[in-house]
Amino acid sequence: MLRVIGKQSAQRACAAMRQMSTTNASPPSPPSSPSTAVTEVVHPAHQREPLPAEVISGAPPSLTKRTARIYRPSNNPMQSGQNTNLKWRLDFDELEKGARWENPLMGWQSTADVMAPVRLDFTTREDAIHFAEKQGWSHYVQEPKFRVIKP
């Protein structure tokens, strides 16, 4: 098998193939080493346990050791529909008091927490739990409170 990169390499490869076809020679084989060991490599998608993403993400430990909250958001009180909160949400708990301050110019609240605006939506609770475990985050689940209509 020839690996061809670039126009000049292709021309050299064609010339080598022509020479081999006229002399009935076989292409040179790669050098073999007597101690080649074959190891089985399992694709990450086929592993039984999820590979934690913190291993390969390169994120600092302060971001990966946060506690995630998994919950179903409540309905908007201004709407009467019952079919709007079918998703599960994952977000992070607030950091301690020193992480927020008031901007003196505009009066806005600022934060040093880069994970504060992160909100992830999932279709099922199990998907959210699996994602949090795969990321290596500790998490807890808040069960939804359903409205009871008395007859």
Side-chain angles (χ1 to χ4, degrees):
M1 181 169 103
L2 292 173
R3 184 175 168 188
V4 178
I5 301 174
K7 187 176 179 181
Q8 293 177 349
S9 298
Q11 291 171 349
R12 278 189 249 130
C14 288
M17 292 297 284
R18 278 191 224 111
Q19 184 181 13
M20 283 191 297
S21 65
T22 58
T23 61
N24 290 333
S26 62
S29 61
S32 61
S33 62
S35 63
T36 56
V38 178
T39 59
E40 183 179 346
V41 178
V42 178
H43 191 272
H46 301 293
Q47 291 179 349
R48 293 186 189 269
E49 292 191 19
L51 178 68
E54 67 181 0
V55 173
I56 55 176
S57 70
S62 62
L63 293 181
T64 58
K65 300 303 177 199
R66 299 283 302 272
T67 302
R69 177 176 67 139
I70 299 170
Y71 65 100
R72 268 177 86 174
S74 61
N75 284 343
N76 184 352
M78 302 303 289
Q79 303 291 325
S80 61
Q82 297 295 317
N83 205 17
T84 57
N85 65 341
L86 298 178
K87 62 186 174 202
W88 286 81
R89 182 169 288 163
L90 181 142
D91 64 5
F92 293 93
D93 286 342
E94 299 273 332
L95 287 178
E96 58 275 355
K97 285 280 191 185
R100 289 192 178 268
W101 65 90
E102 188 172 317
N103 190 334
L105 179 63
M106 297 296 290
W108 296 339
Q109 275 199 345
S110 300
T111 180
D113 185 12
V114 296
M115 300 298 275
V118 174
R119 281 186 176 172
L120 302 171
D121 291 334
F122 298 92
T123 55
T124 64
R125 175 181 145 194
E126 289 77 24
D127 288 344
I129 291 172
H130 178 71
F131 184 79
E133 289 174 353
K134 184 176 179 182
Q135 297 298 323
W137 298 333
S138 59
H139 63 280
Y140 64 95
V141 179
Q142 283 184 341
E143 294 296 330
K145 296 179 183 175
F146 293 105
R147 186 171 68 182
V148 178
I149 300 174
K150 296 180 182 177

